[in-house]
C-alpha cells in the first residue's frame, strides 16, 4: 500500500505535469487506472484515463495559460482531497461560448481514491462551473 506522501505525490504530479504543463495525455495514462471511474454525470459512461483526458483536453482547448493552484491537499489512507483554483484566459470556445479574451477562474474540490499501486481509481469532482460560466457571460 502506498504511503500518504506517495499518494499526495501522485495527485500533485497529475496536476503539475498533466494540467499545468499540458502533458495530460501521457501522465493520465501513467497515473490513472484502466477502470477508473469519474463520479460526475457528464462522464458516467467513460472509464479509465480518458475520463480525465476529456476534461483537461476541453479546458486546454478553451483556455490558454491554464493553471491549477492547489491550496489544500489532505490525505486519509487511499483518499486524497484537493482544494484549489484553476485560472486561464478564454481564447477558445467553451460550453458553446465563443472566446471572450477574459481571464477567468474556477474553484474546485476534488476527491481521489488511489489503489495500492498508486493509480487513481475514482474521481469525485466538485467544481464551480456555474461561477465560471457567469464570468464568461458578464465579460
Amino acid at each position: 500500500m502506498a504511503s500518504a506522501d506517495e499518494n499526495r505525490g501522485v495527485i500533485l504530479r497529475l496536476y503539475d505535469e498533466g494540467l499545468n504543463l499540458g502533458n495530460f495525455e501521457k501522465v493520465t495514462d501513467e497515473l490513472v487506472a484502466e477502470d477508473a471511474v469519474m463520479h460526475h454525470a457528464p462522464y458516467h459512461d467513460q472509464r479509465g484515463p480518458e475520463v480525465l483526458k476529456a476534461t483537461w483536453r476541453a479546458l486546454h482547448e478553451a483556455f490558454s495559460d491554464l493553471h491549477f493552484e492547489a491550496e489544500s491537499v489532505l490525505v486519509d489512507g487511499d483518499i486524497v482531497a484537493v482544494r484549489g483554483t484553476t485560472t486561464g484566459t478564454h481564447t477558445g470556445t467553451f460550453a458553446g461560448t465563443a472566446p471572450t479574451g477574459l481571464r477567468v477562474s474556477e474553484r474546485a474540490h476534488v476527491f481521489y481514491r488511489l489503489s495500492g499501486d498508486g493509480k487513481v481509481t475514482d474521481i469525485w469532482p466538485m467544481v464551480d462551473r456555474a461561477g465560471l460560466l457567469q464570468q464568461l457571460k458578464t465579460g
Side-chain angles (χ1 to χ4, degrees):
M1 183 163 174
S3 72
D5 285 341
E6 289 169 327
N7 286 342
R8 178 188 320 273
V10 166
I11 299 306
L12 290 177
R13 180 175 172 219
L14 198 59
Y15 281 111
D16 290 341
E17 291 181 35
L19 187 63
N20 293 342
L21 295 178
N23 297 326
F24 56 90
E25 298 285 349
K26 175 183 179 285
V27 173
T28 53
D29 283 339
E30 290 178 26
L31 301 179
V32 178
E34 288 299 316
D35 60 348
V37 177
M38 172 85 78
H39 300 276
H40 186 55
Y43 301 97
H44 71 277
D45 61 341
Q46 296 180 14
R47 296 203 177 263
E50 189 57 37
V51 299
L52 206 48
K53 286 181 190 181
T55 299
W56 289 358
R57 188 178 300 117
L59 290 173
H60 273 278
E61 289 171 358
F63 302 98
S64 61
D65 64 342
L66 194 67
H67 182 79
F68 181 81
E69 183 69 34
E71 295 154 8
S72 296
V73 180
L74 305 173
V75 182
D76 184 11
D78 62 351
I79 302 291
V80 179
V82 179
R83 177 182 61 85
T85 303
T86 303
T87 56
T89 304
H90 185 217
T91 54
T93 300
F94 182 75
T97 302
T100 61
L102 293 171
R103 182 100 176 124
V104 296
S105 64
E106 179 180 59
R107 304 276 305 143
H109 299 81
V110 185
F111 291 80
Y112 297 88
R113 174 175 284 136
L114 287 83
S115 62
D117 63 354
K119 294 242 183 178
V120 174
T121 61
D122 295 270
I123 305 168
W124 292 273
M126 295 180 291
V127 297
D128 185 13
R129 187 57 43 93
L132 172 60
L133 295 174
Q134 185 63 36
Q135 291 172 65
L136 297 178
K137 289 179 183 174
T138 59

